[in-house]
Amino acid sequence: VGHIQLPQSWGEEQGVDWTHLWNQAGLECHPAATNRRVEQLLWLKLAANCVINPLTALHQCTNGDLPTVVPNFAKLQEEILSELAAVSQRQLQESNSGCQQLTLNQQNDTVADSEADPLTTSSMLDFCTRVISDTKNNKSSMLQDILNGRKTEINYLNGYIVQKGLEFGLPTPANEGLWQRIRDHELEIERHVAPKS
């Protein structure tokens, strides 16, 4: 949130320094330490989306209202992220089997220390808390989809975690519950929109 991270080697083959060009354009951009770091950042982004999108859609609130509007928000958020951390760690093990643990070059990595840790429930909680605070007045894309009677991206967020959990033999009841509730909303919208014969 707030800046762009690219793999250090991005654009080398074409002789383009994308980080420099994006900074010249006024966008804060930093090289990520490794491709694995980029993968970790993608998991953090997915974590924030798996919490914020379905909960704002179900409770029809802005991002910043989540902690006060959603009953037992802290507990539910931790359950969602605990499942996501287990799935992400297993996925990273699968995709990087045999690779050494990521070592970050602290001079090149300007992201907060909590994000530099391996993907844990705690680092995901820190990231989500920051995103909710930084985007407190936003209406999530999923909330807007629900309000406008459109299909959501739930299958690619919590649905993806459920799918990977099944693949790895990891339970994901919190994510599955949110996935099912949003799917129920979508089916209800489809019933109201479907032409009557």
Side-chain angles (χ1 to χ4, degrees):
V1 174
H3 62 268
I4 301 162
Q5 291 231 348
L6 298 174
Q8 285 184 324
S9 60
W10 218 53
E12 281 180 1
E13 289 180 12
Q14 298 84 10
V16 177
D17 182 353
W18 287 104
T19 303
H20 177 71
L21 289 174
W22 287 37
N23 281 322
Q24 279 187 321
L27 300 170
E28 187 180 347
C29 185
H30 305 283
T34 64
N35 287 340
R36 179 160 175 168
R37 179 67 180 138
V38 171
E39 196 171 356
Q40 287 180 323
L41 291 168
L42 291 172
W43 277 103
L44 288 172
K45 172 78 169 145
L46 178 62
N49 284 328
C50 283
V51 170
I52 294 169
N53 279 309
L55 291 176
T56 55
L58 290 170
H59 295 275
Q60 301 200 350
C61 65
T62 62
N63 297 357
D65 288 334
L66 283 172
T68 56
V69 171
V70 178
N72 300 310
F73 173 72
K75 182 177 184 293
L76 179 56
Q77 178 180 225
E78 187 165 354
E79 289 169 356
I80 295 163
L81 296 177
S82 171
E83 295 169 9
L84 210 141
V87 168
S88 68
Q89 290 169 9
R90 183 69 177 277
Q91 179 65 40
L92 287 172
Q93 287 171 359
E94 294 283 323
S95 63
N96 295 302
S97 59
C99 292
Q100 291 183 340
Q101 177 67 24
L102 173 67
T103 304
L104 295 175
N105 178 339
Q106 294 301 325
Q107 291 177 334
N108 289 334
D109 196 294
T110 59
V111 180
D113 288 341
S114 65
E115 291 177 30
D117 294 336
L119 294 171
T120 62
T121 304
S122 176
S123 65
M124 289 181 176
L125 275 168
D126 290 346
F127 185 79
C128 285
T129 299
R130 194 166 60 254
V131 171
I132 288 168
S133 174
D134 290 349
T135 63
K136 64 184 172 203
N137 296 320
N138 291 10
K139 287 186 178 177
S140 74
S141 59
M142 193 173 292
L143 170 57
Q144 294 179 57
D145 288 339
I146 291 289
L147 292 175
N148 290 296
R150 295 187 300 251
K151 192 171 172 67
T152 72
E153 69 273 23
I154 194 67
N155 290 335
Y156 304 102
L157 301 175
N158 306 81
Y160 175 75
I161 299 307
V162 172
Q163 174 195 346
K164 295 308 279 185
L166 289 171
E167 184 182 320
F168 296 140
L170 298 169
T172 57
N175 282 279
E176 187 170 1
L178 289 176
W179 172 68
Q180 190 57 58
R181 289 175 66 192
I182 294 294
R183 286 293 298 130
D184 289 346
H185 271 275
E186 290 178 336
L187 292 172
E188 188 64 29
I189 289 167
E190 287 172 17
R191 276 196 286 275
H192 283 70
V193 173
K196 295 180 181 176
S197 46

